[in-house]
Amino acid sequence: MQLGMIGLGRMGSNMAQRLMTHGHDCVVHDTRAESMNALKQQGAKGTTSLEEFVSLLAKPRAVWLMLPAAVVDMVLAKLIPLLDKDDIVIDGGNSYYHDDIRRSGELKSHGIHYVDVGTSGGIFGLDRGYCLMIGGEKGIFQHLSPIFAALAPGKGNIPVTASRAAKASGDSTADQGYLHCGPHGAGHFVKMVHNGIEYGLMAAYSEGLNILRNADIGLRSHEADAETTPLLHPEHYQYNFDLPEIAEVWRRGSVISSWLLDLTADALYEDPALASYEGHVSDSGEGRWTVMAAIDEAVPTPVLSAALQERFSSRGNAEFANKILSAMRSEFGGHVEKKPQG
Amino acid sequence: MQLGMIGLGRMGSNMAQRLMTHGHDCVVHDTRAESMNALKQQGAKGTTSLEEFVSLLAKPRAVWLMLPAAVVDMVLAKLIPLLDKDDIVIDGGNSYYHDDIRRSGELKSHGIHYVDVGTSGGIFGLDRGYCLMIGGEKGIFQHLSPIFAALAPGKGNIPVTASRAAKASGDSTADQGYLHCGPHGAGHFVKMVHNGIEYGLMAAYSEGLNILRNADIGLRSHEADAETTPLLHPEHYQYNFDLPEIAEVWRRGSVISSWLLDLTADALYEDPALASYEGHVSDSGEGRWTVMAAIDEAVPTPVLSAALQERFSSRGNAEFANKILSAMRSEFGGHVEKKPQG
Amino acid sequence: MQLGMIGLGRMGSNMAQRLMTHGHDCVVHDTRAESMNALKQQGAKGTTSLEEFVSLLAKPRAVWLMLPAAVVDMVLAKLIPLLDKDDIVIDGGNSYYHDDIRRSGELKSHGIHYVDVGTSGGIFGLDRGYCLMIGGEKGIFQHLSPIFAALAPGKGNIPVTASRAAKASGDSTADQGYLHCGPHGAGHFVKMVHNGIEYGLMAAYSEGLNILRNADIGLRSHEADAETTPLLHPEHYQYNFDLPEIAEVWRRGSVISSWLLDLTADALYEDPALASYEGHVSDSGEGRWTVMAAIDEAVPTPVLSAALQERFSSRGNAEFANKILSAMRSEFGGHVEKKPQG
Amino acid sequence: MQLGMIGLGRMGSNMAQRLMTHGHDCVVHDTRAESMNALKQQGAKGTTSLEEFVSLLAKPRAVWLMLPAAVVDMVLAKLIPLLDKDDIVIDGGNSYYHDDIRRSGELKSHGIHYVDVGTSGGIFGLDRGYCLMIGGEKGIFQHLSPIFAALAPGKGNIPVTASRAAKASGDSTADQGYLHCGPHGAGHFVKMVHNGIEYGLMAAYSEGLNILRNADIGLRSHEADAETTPLLHPEHYQYNFDLPEIAEVWRRGSVISSWLLDLTADALYEDPALASYEGHVSDSGEGRWTVMAAIDEAVPTPVLSAALQERFSSRGNAEFANKILSAMRSEFGGHVEKKPQG
């Protein structure tokens, strides 16, 4: 099958590569010519303009956008006039599902189909395959199935879910790694929540490991003053834990084994003190949108919210609030701020 | 009535002063001679040794300790041999109520009565009076009532609670500002929870004011890259709020008026940017103990826990956890950490 | 000064009453005729149609809307054609500040001025006065000042903020209880955050009191099985606290005294077990919008978020999430769900 | 090698079985005779008294306790007098690490060695192997290595961590699934934090799936009154998501794939509405102890704390706090509680 790919960053160019490995034809486009070279060597047709790009695609065209969410509308504005009725536009990036709902309506007025695909897998997807969460018309989903099947991991060596095996269910694509989740926006909605969960998982591991790292607090000297809570039982905190080894052992047989733990074990073995990081953690939109959706639904998400807010805090954004706390303490108790221990 | 006061820091010396203003006799002791001078000028008897201190008190003696929690046991070890059966020891500091339960048993074996008093009011207590939460034997509480009544604010100009006024309840001391809360430890238990609540209140104001302070985010320039979530609607965040004025207006007629808000309004008017603070916020033991008690009781305390943890975070203690987050993001997505905006 | 008031619910009719008490003229309107009777007896002009309402107001008219947020736009659609250039519309209800920004633009195109007023004070406002947070054009704010001053509490017996008194600042209205917070939307933005803070304060008290209520857990019998965490130290939880008395004593001299505490003490004295409540806690929009604004600003608000989510949870909205937890526990550990203790 | 196993519940009997499969000899004991039958058929020596149990073990004896934490001390009291110098007691259950520190000292005074082993794997461990986190003397750990190696999963088909493979590290047992974590208590400390993390992970999935389940809220009818926040954009919440399929697709190629997700997918496929669960979620001690350790260390754990507290809440323990919120709302706003939607 033929697919046009616009946007050849880390994700887009890996995906084109994986498609070609699985026997599909790719026409590719990026404003940066150099991004296309490697792909051209593997058989892709590179194009220097959107006009050329569109002209090389057979109708009905299938155009996959793999772009930063912020530029999708701009590219669409240029692309739509070049497309024809029954063509298909797929947004595989990290768009807000609100935008999918709006765009699908705009494209429909031109007779163009719109598909939103939440794509998970990161830089490992090239080899491991991508988990694809898909929204849009069911018929269009089926038409594009060969593309999705090639990008997805397939059954691989992942064990079949026991209850599913028992029922011989039949026609789900979920155990191939791609799924039609529902109408327009459904794909990015599910991907949004996926990322919200991801924040929670990441925070759980990192908080736990931080407790282990500080289990030596009873061995450290402490100041004894009214501003410092005394450690009641220093004898309980005399451990110097080897975090890379602990992360490794948890990978085997424990209840908390996961792919994120695999990555954590790798990072910790490489650099046990994580000295190459500062700990200022970015957040992309999905974690925020997840919490906002939960608020609209009145669904409690204390863990997902806390995970998001820890990131805000890691970037220093609690500073003014903390100064107010210090100011209050100074007001009512004459407490003088202490410098944190070095 | 006569009271002996050991520990003449900010709290102890103010309390002795307030007692004398209300006509009570004070014998005072502190290892730092200079702490006694001001009080002696107001009529207190200063003493240079515990022996002298005890000898000047009429039996049954009433000895009030106003000491850092960490030194109470040490002072008690010296004091107990000097005391007699039926004497009374009052711990008015911030002891852990577990220690009250233990100490009351130890003192009982000597025939000495123990009273734990949670004292709230801070440096304003001298004029405003102290809120006293008291644990121990009911009879001893009654014996000491004149002392408590003098330290407490009394009815003052605080309106009577409507439902209470309607029922003409009679004999409560709560509306005088002091209360027998229950057996040994009850006073410090109630004070512990009081402080846990205080953390929550302080955090609520400080988080809210931080939102107001950042309501100008739509006016600031933003970087547009994959590591920065774009602000979808900058037109909604164009406000430069005057925080001192807002804190002030909330003091009058609003649902959130409180004494802590009064103090916040004062601090903000003095220094609107709170430039004299760094925002490294200490926590004394009570906030921790409150959350631990809640965990023992299996009572959910998301707000009180969050308020405590914000303080830990303000002192940089999340740093390693945050580095793990950055390391994971680097592993799965090739994300490179960004420096926070200046 | 003359004011037209549309919407005579609990808030609107009290406010009209307070204005008349302070010598202002009120023209009032409500679709329910009976709402107007009491006010007419106090001197208000009742009107049975918007046309009549508008005709009785002198130009430039000042029309105050005190309506549920959901019907404001509908009423505005009918009202605007009846108004003239330079008239003023004030929205004193709980509108979302996004709507203020939009509406002010729409009204401006008709030459009509728009003012948003966040109003705090609840049913006590009639006597206590209302805290008014105001957004819009400065000149219009000044024109309406007599109205605001009458509705606000004024200086009353609330102590002047110390640092403010020291500086003899001059012309602030904040210490009268009303404030021009900024351009359109600023009033409701500040009120929104006010309510977000309110949720946090309320949660802090309620969590703390819940800890006190369960301090008798060591006196209760416990099942000993693998599904129940044993209480390690029952001797630490033997207290039967008298919550109405504790809430009362905290009102006097403590750091956590506040108006919300006054109300809590009243409710607890009336009904110590709060048996007349089920504990399903509604949330109006402001708490949600506060957290969403914080997310847009990337400001951490763990306390305000937790307070909001506790309300969602109180209404049973965590149920499906909890079932998933039970299902997981059953899967990995064969754990069978226990019924909660009666 | 020979091992004595006391406690033949779900975990203990599976572990004895796995040991025998790997060629080790087991002497087993349980007060319930029937627990021993199956094991005896597989070659274990069953014993009806502790005396008989001890007599069948060769010196130095290795005795593994797999008992509820609450009965360990009671069994130890009977066991110790029967043991000899240089014997080894292993606690493989879920003891609090504080108890390990105490017990190791007590046993040392008898010349007996103590080893604490945190065991993860649940009912799947029989086939999958157990992740073992071990505390105690290094030499004793090495002596028992054959036992640990048999219980642990070994390398199996779990990929080697990339950075570890690159460095050819050598002698770690972590990639076999067992690890000497440090001195006495270290094993249970690491297991405690493991479980704390587990709570966080479980909560992240369950909150996310709850958001998906309620993504149809725009299709439901809503009451419009002052106690219900209107849904501003019902068009954004029109999705009927198929949760079993979504959990399944996430297992393949996504960033959030994990063993807990595997179990969730299984449970959801079996019973998509989880109708067989009520959602009252127990917590064992480890989650509580994890948060308490974090508090002692002043390490922020918003996610782990929230996950613990959600469980408390699922059992109805927030009820009184929620009633206080309703009481406050009634006081200040005359709000009448609403019944939750059916």
Side-chain angles (χ1 to χ4, degrees), chain A residues 163 169 172 184 239 245 266 269, chain D residues 163 169 172 184 239 245 266:
Chain A
S163 56
S169 68
S172 165
H184 298 299
Y239 301 112
E245 294 301 299
D266 189 53
Y269 192 85
Chain D
S163 56
S169 67
S172 165
H184 298 299
Y239 300 112
E245 294 301 299
D266 189 53

Side-chain angles (χ1 to χ4, degrees), chain B residues 264-332:
Chain B
T264 307
D266 189 54
L268 282 169
Y269 192 85
E270 189 72 33
D271 175 6
L274 300 177
S276 54
Y277 299 96
E278 302 245 350
H280 305 300
V281 191
S282 292
D283 73 290
S284 57
E286 291 91 351
R288 301 180 177 200
W289 302 331
T290 300
V291 176
M292 287 179 172
I295 292 173
D296 276 340
E297 297 179 5
V299 163
T301 52
V303 158
L304 305 191
S305 303
L308 177 66
Q309 291 169 340
E310 283 184 281
R311 295 195 176 191
F312 296 162
S313 214
S314 80
R315 308 205 297 265
N317 298 358
E319 188 188 11
F320 187 71
N322 292 333
K323 287 183 175 185
I324 293 174
L325 296 178
S326 283
M328 285 185 184
R329 297 185 80 240
S330 168
E331 287 270 335
F332 69 69

Side-chain angles (χ1 to χ4, degrees), chain D residues 4-7 63-67 72 75-76 79 89-93:
Chain D
M5 174 74 72
I6 298 177
V63 180
W64 188 296
L65 308 181
M66 208 64 201
L67 297 164
V72 170
V75 171
L76 276 179
L79 184 65
V89 172
I90 304 135
D91 181 356

